[in-house]
Amino acid sequence: MCRWMAWLGQPLLVEELLFEAQHGIVDQSLHARMGAEPTNGDGFGLGWYGTGAGPAVYRSVSPAWADANLRDLAAHIESQLFVAHVRAAIGSAVQQTNCHPFRHGRWLFVHNGFIAGFDILRRDLMLAVDPALFAEVQGSTDTEVVFHLALTFGLKEDPIRALEMTVGLVEEAAGHHGIAGAVQASFGVSDGASLWAVRYATEGRARSLFASGDVDAVRSLHPDNPRLQRLSPDDRLIVSEPFSDLPGVWREIPEATAVTVRRGGVLEERPFHPRPIASAVDRTAPSSVPDA
Amino acid sequence: MCRWMAWLGQPLLVEELLFEAQHGIVDQSLHARMGAEPTNGDGFGLGWYGTGAGPAVYRSVSPAWADANLRDLAAHIESQLFVAHVRAAIGSAVQQTNCHPFRHGRWLFVHNGFIAGFDILRRDLMLAVDPALFAEVQGSTDTEVVFHLALTFGLKEDPIRALEMTVGLVEEAAGHHGIAGAVQASFGVSDGASLWAVRYATEGRARSLFASGDVDAVRSLHPDNPRLQRLSPDDRLIVSEPFSDLPGVWREIPEATAVTVRRGGVLEERPFHPRPIASAVDRTAPSSVPDA
Amino acid sequence: MCRWMAWLGQPLLVEELLFEAQHGIVDQSLHARMGAEPTNGDGFGLGWYGTGAGPAVYRSVSPAWADANLRDLAAHIESQLFVAHVRAAIGSAVQQTNCHPFRHGRWLFVHNGFIAGFDILRRDLMLAVDPALFAEVQGSTDTEVVFHLALTFGLKEDPIRALEMTVGLVEEAAGHHGIAGAVQASFGVSDGASLWAVRYATEGRARSLFASGDVDAVRSLHPDNPRLQRLSPDDRLIVSEPFSDLPGVWREIPEATAVTVRRGGVLEERPFHPRPIASAVDRTAPSSVPDA
Amino acid sequence: MCRWMAWLGQPLLVEELLFEAQHGIVDQSLHARMGAEPTNGDGFGLGWYGTGAGPAVYRSVSPAWADANLRDLAAHIESQLFVAHVRAAIGSAVQQTNCHPFRHGRWLFVHNGFIAGFDILRRDLMLAVDPALFAEVQGSTDTEVVFHLALTFGLKEDPIRALEMTVGLVEEAAGHHGIAGAVQASFGVSDGASLWAVRYATEGRARSLFASGDVDAVRSLHPDNPRLQRLSPDDRLIVSEPFSDLPGVWREIPEATAVTVRRGGVLEERPFHPRPIASAVDRTAPSSVPDA
């Protein structure tokens, strides 16, 4: 379990949403309310688009609530599009290369959830990653492999379709190994211009995911914040857990749904259907372990 | 470039060799003299056999010279067999899972050197790892993959032979990709009873490797240290770089040579010959990336 | 708020109490149940007496639940007397020098609680520390200053009396500045032979503190653990929060009480009365700043 | 020994000077050439003025050469005035609160050098800090105390004069304790509008300090860098060790000299004379410890 948030809108100091929002993402690192795990203290990451080429990423193994640098950066970085993630490790090491967001070129990727039986599936899934991308996988999380599968399946052309193929592949591989409930996820993706988010679970209820309903919703988070009172209809927040408890502010994204947020506050919703990839994992290939 | 050392002999406080020896391994983290890179500040590791089941490992991304915990542990841990490693990262991340020694059951593994073109070879080499061991690879170094290849090739039965097969496989894979000078290495291995060390380079001069010549050699390191003056012929040190500059103390292990150190101070030497593994990497297997 | 535990008894692998006890101290780092703060993820420390001179200390800024080294050390270190602490920072930085236990010679010190208004009192309290000890204060916590005050007031001769004088001084300084509820504490102290623990609050209810009631209590924690079934009447645990919920196992230490645990399982209890220190800080003494 | 640099001029991506300059400050963290200590791997810090209120500070205990976040931040932060520091610890702990730059309101402070016998002087010097600033000292370095002394002596009104008083006080305190060679320093100070730098040693040769001589000097560092070719006479660099070896580029700041750099590239030089502070520490003032 983890928590994440994404902002697309007018330029904001990152701290406005990370630290100053009621029950914001940093507060959720210590006291999350929804889902199985209230503490997300196994590192965090912040990715943003702004000055310089491509997205910047700051990742740390410290709990977000205790990281003095994060507080400072958030107070001095302004961005129109940023993504933050707090991590609760389930099995893999607490290290920077396991912290989200993951990055490839202009792309950022975050995930709340897990691949069931990842230890068993890891080799099959790594094999399905484009060999040209293989060496780019630097950590040991399921998420980083999922991201590289999605890149393999055309994330840059159609992020939702690529994630549908990725989930299809994972479910297929899991089925082959007799693993139930393969995918549990909310995913977030960005290329610096748009945001995509997916809520999906192979079985049962998926990780929660919410979008800010409209400008009034976000404004009401901070009645006394002049900056936020200047919000326009172009601004949109996606969060795995609402920042405040105000009823009526947040719009829950349904199960098995993908949303696209574009500049101008446009939010499009569509069903998310995993696509089976019959040949993605060649199970008949001889093991490469030598006979010798 | 890294540096490592291994002790097999009477029980010693670890600090005697880590901190109190002249130009010991921690001093080498800051001021190494041999080889290309004088600073080995990208983390370190200590593995030891003693109280508790199997080897203990303490690894940190701090430079060894600055780690307060290492100094304390070294002053309070006594062992008959321990291995220490200081790291100079060349490309892969500075993270605990990339620090040596690597461990599998009772086995510890350290490496000074590199696999040339590892980014290119990584996928082929990972594919050759026993699938049952694949998910155990938690970091992103060449060394961890080499260790798991050696486990795949029977490290537990015959460590030198398994490393000969591993190096053979790496050289073969490198040749396939047109990469020259595939392996540059001194390796260290232990199961808690014996030590094995290998010095080998595909091309050119291999990383340096030395064994303590005899008891008098080690005694002369610490003329004023009563504990070391009690050394017996059962004690043996292997180091990638001599601890002191005293002439006559250290015996250089020749190129392309493997040594075995057994209890009682026994040191056996034999040639190290990579063994080609014709079928280890199935280069004709279809890529597993889906056509869809 | 923090949590701590101390063991005095037969030699135990540290992991038996840190990781294998139900609701042990590491579990409490993530899910404490008593007191204000359920998460104690701002570093931890382990101090133990065993091989080597004086106590060893391993401290880290990682949350205890996520530290791979702690798990390894706990599985390979055996001790008759050890102290563990998990920290919830309230104001001061998350850094090793702020992690408990603090050490001076053979002495270890841990604290759960706080000095109210420490920012205001810090200078006065630092001034009251023996000038010869001043430079030894390396961090910025209230606890480290309290420890050095206690050393100033004779901790080595009479730990409880020294803590009574320390608390008296702090309450006096707080009164002078109009600060209410100066001290909130459970303290733990050891010299490697005995353990001392204090439960005290200037106002209101003090931090919880418990002692294992008798051998049967500890045995019942681990009915299936052969090592613990071998416990003798010589073994004693002090904890800030019980390890399991079994009724009847733990004996709550009353408010304003100090206990002394000696080898042989002896537990002595006495009232704890802060001692006003009219002369503790000799304000007329010439400052050591030069006369120019 | 440490190394530092400061930029005042047109907005630059921080990486242009940290990573892309020949023998820049990050390279100096691994391979410094001047002074006693070639490795400055005990943490680093970056302070910059730009978006958001006051200066931002990013500090880490990682060696600068290995910190993935520093590389990312440097590539995405643009500033007209920034300061970077790489640390070689001499005695005090490797922790963020000991990393430079230190900050107070709009002010940043860096130091290369040391206070001799700081352990002995620390209490006297801390006593001389304005009590209102005392609790702000969070680490254990001599530099942080020097900074707070300078704040005590009017840094905000006249930085050079305040540093002259500070050095005077330190030399006086050292003399009182019989400590020779009290101060060894290059200091750097900024308020976000101007830069001040001091080169001074009580005895012997002071730490090196250089200013970029003129625009052509800086341009010649990067003949192929279009951004730097656009440098104007308004740009100025101060460095403790030159970035490249090109003769004629750098102007050495003489011993016992203070320089002021103002917007527009103005560089003023004046002698630096420590001022004895007979009254700096009012030893007759009543201590604030309560009367009981």
Side-chain angles (χ1 to χ4, degrees):
Chain A
M1 279 294 286
C2 307
R3 295 293 186 287
W4 62 268
M5 60 139 291
W7 167 259
L8 174 54
Q10 59 177 295
L12 270 194
L13 274 184
V14 169
E15 71 177 359
E16 304 247 12
L17 296 179
L18 258 61
F19 289 95
E20 296 177 9
Q22 289 172 25
H23 193 54
I25 189 82
V26 174
D27 187 40
Q28 290 173 27
S29 70
L30 192 53
H31 302 294
R33 296 169 189 172
M34 306 181 79
E37 187 48 76
T39 307
N40 295 275
D42 298 320
F44 68 88
L46 171 68
W48 70 96
Y49 299 86
T51 307
V57 172
Y58 173 61
R59 302 192 292 182
S60 165
V61 295
S62 303
W65 70 76
D67 191 85
N69 287 319
L70 178 61
R71 200 167 285 267
D72 237 58
L73 292 174
H76 293 90
I77 289 169
E78 197 175 59
S79 174
Q80 294 179 295
L81 201 171
F82 61 93
V83 179
H85 184 275
V86 294
R87 183 169 182 241
I90 40 174
S92 56
V94 176
Q95 57 190 23
Q96 274 184 36
T97 55
N98 284 352
C99 292
H100 313 214
F102 296 96
R103 172 174 52 187
H104 178 86
R106 290 198 62 77
W107 294 80
L108 292 177
F109 188 73
V110 291
H111 175 204
N112 171 15
F114 58 83
I115 304 303
F118 180 62
D119 274 4
I120 296 164
L121 299 180
R122 190 178 173 203
R123 185 175 186 272
D124 285 359
L125 300 181
M126 287 284 279
L127 280 185
V129 168
D130 179 350
L133 297 173
F134 190 96
E136 219 187 68
V137 177
Q138 292 293 312
S140 54
T141 58
D142 48 6
T143 301
E144 193 183 17
V145 176
V146 163
F147 180 37
H148 285 83
L149 287 171
L151 286 164
T152 300
F153 295 142
L155 183 83
K156 294 178 184 175
E157 287 72 47
D158 186 339
I160 303 303
R161 187 175 185 277
L163 284 167
E164 287 174 333
M165 292 174 71
T166 297
V167 169
L169 174 75
V170 174
E171 292 183 339
E172 210 171 58
H176 181 66
H177 286 275
I179 295 167
V183 177
Q184 172 54 268
S186 72
F187 297 120
V189 184
S190 183
D191 64 352
S194 302
L195 276 174
W196 294 266
V198 169
R199 183 181 183 204
Y200 177 79
T202 304
E203 292 175 16
R205 211 169 144 64
R207 291 288 177 267
S208 56
L209 194 61
F210 297 83
S212 58
D214 54 42
V215 162
D216 292 338
V218 177
R219 278 178 181 158
S220 67
L221 280 172
H222 290 278
D224 303 325
N225 183 321
R227 179 186 285 268
L228 289 174
Q229 290 309 306
R230 294 185 320 240
L231 282 189
S232 79
D234 294 357
D235 300 325
R236 194 69 77 163
L237 254 171
I238 305 284
V239 296
S240 56
E241 178 170 333
F243 280 13
S244 78
D245 297 325
L246 304 180
V249 167
W250 298 93
R251 163 180 173 179
E252 185 167 11
I253 295 172
E255 305 262 342
T257 300
V259 299
T260 304
V261 182
R262 303 188 191 283
R263 292 206 179 280
V266 178
L267 188 147
E268 301 159 359
E269 203 172 291
R270 72 174 226 212
F272 180 87
H273 292 307
R275 296 173 189 247
I277 316 285
S279 59
V281 184
D282 186 350
R283 288 174 305 277
T284 64
S287 162
S288 53
V289 176
D291 292 357
Chain B
M1 280 295 285
C2 309
R3 294 295 184 285
W4 61 269
M5 61 139 290
W7 167 259
L8 174 55
Q10 59 178 296
L12 270 194
L13 274 184
V14 169
E15 71 176 0
E16 303 247 11
L17 295 179
L18 259 61
F19 289 96
E20 296 177 10
Q22 289 173 25
H23 192 56
I25 189 82
V26 174
D27 186 40
Q28 291 173 24
S29 71
L30 192 53
H31 301 295
R33 297 170 189 172
M34 306 182 80
E37 187 47 77
T39 308
N40 295 277
D42 298 321
F44 68 88
L46 172 67
W48 70 97
Y49 299 86
T51 306
V57 173
Y58 173 62
R59 302 191 292 182
S60 165
V61 295
S62 303
W65 71 77
D67 191 84
N69 287 319
L70 178 61
R71 199 166 285 268
D72 238 56
L73 293 174
H76 294 88
I77 289 168
E78 197 174 58
S79 174
Q80 294 178 294
L81 202 170
F82 60 94
V83 179
H85 184 277
V86 294
R87 185 171 180 239
I90 38 174
S92 57
V94 177
Q95 57 190 23
Q96 274 183 36
T97 56
N98 285 351
C99 291
H100 312 211
F102 296 97
R103 172 173 52 187
H104 177 86
R106 291 197 61 77
W107 293 80
L108 293 178
F109 188 73
V110 291
H111 176 204
N112 171 15
F114 57 83
I115 304 304
F118 180 62
D119 274 4
I120 295 165
L121 301 181
R122 189 177 174 204
R123 186 174 187 272
D124 284 0
L125 300 182
M126 288 284 280
L127 281 184
V129 168
D130 178 350
L133 297 173
F134 190 97
E136 219 188 67
V137 177
Q138 291 294 311
S140 54
T141 58
D142 47 6
T143 302
E144 194 183 16
V145 175
V146 163
F147 180 39
H148 285 83
L149 287 170
L151 287 164
T152 300
F153 295 142
L155 182 82
K156 294 178 185 175
E157 287 72 44
D158 185 341
I160 303 303
R161 186 174 186 277
L163 284 167
E164 286 175 335
M165 292 174 72
T166 297
V167 170
L169 173 76
V170 174
E171 292 184 340
E172 211 171 59
H176 181 67
H177 285 275
I179 295 168
V183 176
Q184 174 53 269
S186 72
F187 297 120
V189 184
S190 184
D191 64 352
S194 303
L195 277 175
W196 294 266
V198 169
R199 185 181 181 202
Y200 177 79
T202 304
E203 291 175 17
R205 211 170 144 65
R207 291 287 178 268
S208 57
L209 194 61
F210 297 82
S212 57
D214 55 43
V215 161
D216 292 338
V218 178
R219 278 178 181 158
S220 67
L221 280 172
H222 290 280
D224 304 325
N225 184 322
R227 178 186 286 268
L228 289 173
Q229 290 309 307
R230 293 183 323 237
L231 282 189
S232 80
D234 293 357
D235 299 326
R236 193 68 79 162
L237 255 171
I238 305 284
V239 297
S240 57
E241 179 171 331
F243 280 13
S244 79
D245 298 323
L246 304 181
V249 168
W250 298 94
R251 163 180 172 177
E252 185 166 11
I253 295 171
E255 305 262 341
T257 300
V259 299
T260 303
V261 182
R262 304 189 191 283
R263 292 205 181 279
V266 179
L267 188 147
E268 302 159 358
E269 204 173 289
R270 70 174 228 211
F272 181 87
H273 293 307
R275 297 172 188 247
I277 316 284
S279 59
V281 185
D282 184 349
R283 290 176 304 277
T284 63
S287 161
S288 53
V289 175
D291 294 356
Chain C
M1 279 293 287
C2 307
R3 294 295 185 285
W4 60 269
M5 61 139 290
W7 166 259
L8 174 53
Q10 58 177 295
L12 269 194
L13 273 185
V14 169
E15 70 177 0
E16 304 247 12
L17 296 179
L18 259 60
F19 289 96
E20 296 177 10
Q22 290 173 25
H23 193 55
I25 189 81
V26 174
D27 186 40
Q28 290 174 27
S29 71
L30 191 54
H31 302 294
R33 297 170 188 171
M34 306 181 81
E37 186 48 75
T39 307
N40 295 276
D42 297 321
F44 68 87
L46 171 69
W48 70 97
Y49 298 86
T51 306
V57 173
Y58 173 62
R59 302 191 293 182
S60 165
V61 295
S62 303
W65 70 75
D67 192 85
N69 286 319
L70 179 61
R71 201 167 285 267
D72 237 57
L73 293 174
H76 292 89
I77 289 169
E78 197 175 59
S79 174
Q80 294 180 296
L81 202 172
F82 61 92
V83 179
H85 184 275
V86 294
R87 183 169 181 241
I90 40 176
S92 56
V94 177
Q95 57 189 24
Q96 273 184 36
T97 56
N98 284 352
C99 291
H100 313 211
F102 296 97
R103 172 174 53 187
H104 177 86
R106 290 199 61 77
W107 294 80
L108 292 178
F109 189 72
V110 292
H111 175 205
N112 171 15
F114 57 84
I115 304 303
F118 179 62
D119 274 4
I120 296 164
L121 300 180
R122 189 178 173 205
R123 185 175 187 271
D124 286 359
L125 300 182
M126 288 284 280
L127 279 184
V129 168
D130 178 350
L133 297 174
F134 191 95
E136 219 187 68
V137 177
Q138 292 293 313
S140 54
T141 58
D142 48 6
T143 301
E144 193 184 16
V145 176
V146 163
F147 179 38
H148 285 83
L149 287 171
L151 286 164
T152 299
F153 295 142
L155 182 82
K156 294 177 184 177
E157 287 72 46
D158 185 339
I160 302 303
R161 187 175 185 277
L163 283 167
E164 286 175 335
M165 292 174 71
T166 297
V167 170
L169 174 76
V170 173
E171 291 184 339
E172 216 170 55
H176 182 67
H177 287 276
I179 294 167
V183 177
Q184 173 54 269
S186 72
F187 297 121
V189 184
S190 184
D191 64 353
S194 302
L195 276 175
W196 294 266
V198 169
R199 184 181 181 203
Y200 177 78
T202 304
E203 292 175 17
R205 210 169 143 66
R207 290 289 177 265
S208 57
L209 194 61
F210 297 82
S212 57
D214 55 41
V215 162
D216 292 338
V218 178
R219 278 177 181 159
S220 67
L221 280 173
H222 291 280
D224 304 324
N225 183 322
R227 178 185 286 266
L228 290 173
Q229 289 309 306
R230 295 184 321 239
L231 283 188
S232 80
D234 294 357
D235 300 326
R236 194 69 80 163
L237 254 170
I238 304 284
V239 297
S240 57
E241 177 169 333
F243 281 12
S244 79
D245 299 324
L246 304 180
V249 167
W250 298 95
R251 164 179 172 180
E252 184 167 10
I253 295 171
E255 306 260 344
T257 299
V259 298
T260 304
V261 182
R262 304 188 192 282
R263 293 206 179 279
V266 178
L267 188 147
E268 301 160 359
E269 203 172 290
R270 71 175 229 210
F272 181 88
H273 292 307
R275 297 172 188 246
I277 317 287
S279 59
V281 186
D282 184 349
R283 290 173 306 278
T284 64
S287 160
S288 52
V289 175
D291 291 0
Chain D
M1 278 294 286
C2 306
R3 296 293 186 284
W4 61 269
M5 60 139 291
W7 167 260
L8 175 53
Q10 59 178 295
L12 270 194
L13 275 184
V14 169
E15 70 176 0
E16 304 247 12
L17 295 179
L18 259 61
F19 289 96
E20 296 178 9
Q22 290 173 24
H23 193 55
I25 189 82
V26 174
D27 186 39
Q28 290 173 26
S29 71
L30 191 53
H31 302 294
R33 297 170 189 171
M34 307 182 80
E37 186 47 76
T39 307
N40 295 277
D42 298 322
F44 68 87
L46 172 69
W48 71 97
Y49 299 86
T51 306
V57 173
Y58 173 61
R59 302 191 293 182
S60 166
V61 295
S62 303
W65 72 76
D67 191 85
N69 287 319
L70 178 61
R71 200 167 285 269
D72 236 58
L73 293 173
H76 293 89
I77 289 169
E78 197 175 59
S79 174
Q80 294 179 295
L81 202 171
F82 60 92
V83 179
H85 184 276
V86 293
R87 183 169 181 241
I90 39 174
S92 55
V94 176
Q95 56 189 25
Q96 273 183 36
T97 56
N98 284 352
C99 292
H100 312 209
F102 296 96
R103 171 174 54 187
H104 177 85
R106 291 199 60 77
W107 295 79
L108 292 178
F109 188 73
V110 291
H111 174 205
N112 171 15
F114 57 83
I115 304 304
F118 180 62
D119 273 5
I120 296 163
L121 300 180
R122 189 178 173 204
R123 185 175 186 271
D124 285 359
L125 300 182
M126 287 284 281
L127 279 185
V129 168
D130 179 351
L133 297 173
F134 190 96
E136 220 186 66
V137 177
Q138 291 294 311
S140 53
T141 59
D142 47 6
T143 302
E144 193 182 16
V145 176
V146 163
F147 180 39
H148 286 83
L149 287 171
L151 287 164
T152 299
F153 294 141
L155 183 84
K156 295 178 185 176
E157 288 71 46
D158 185 339
I160 303 302
R161 185 174 186 278
L163 284 167
E164 286 174 335
M165 292 174 72
T166 298
V167 170
L169 174 75
V170 174
E171 291 183 340
E172 214 169 55
H176 182 67
H177 286 275
I179 294 168
V183 177
Q184 174 52 270
S186 72
F187 297 121
V189 184
S190 183
D191 64 352
S194 302
L195 276 175
W196 294 267
V198 169
R199 184 180 182 205
Y200 177 79
T202 303
E203 291 175 17
R205 208 168 146 67
R207 290 288 178 266
S208 57
L209 194 61
F210 297 83
S212 57
D214 56 42
V215 162
D216 291 337
V218 178
R219 278 178 181 158
S220 67
L221 279 173
H222 290 280
D224 304 324
N225 183 323
R227 179 185 285 269
L228 290 173
Q229 290 308 308
R230 294 185 321 240
L231 283 188
S232 80
D234 294 359
D235 299 327
R236 194 69 79 163
L237 254 171
I238 304 284
V239 296
S240 57
E241 176 171 333
F243 280 13
S244 79
D245 298 323
L246 303 180
V249 167
W250 298 94
R251 162 179 174 179
E252 184 167 11
I253 295 172
E255 306 261 344
T257 299
V259 299
T260 304
V261 182
R262 302 188 192 284
R263 292 206 180 280
V266 178
L267 187 147
E268 301 161 358
E269 205 172 289
R270 72 174 228 212
F272 181 87
H273 292 308
R275 297 173 188 247
I277 317 289
S279 59
V281 185
D282 185 348
R283 289 174 305 277
T284 65
S287 159
S288 52
V289 176
D291 290 1

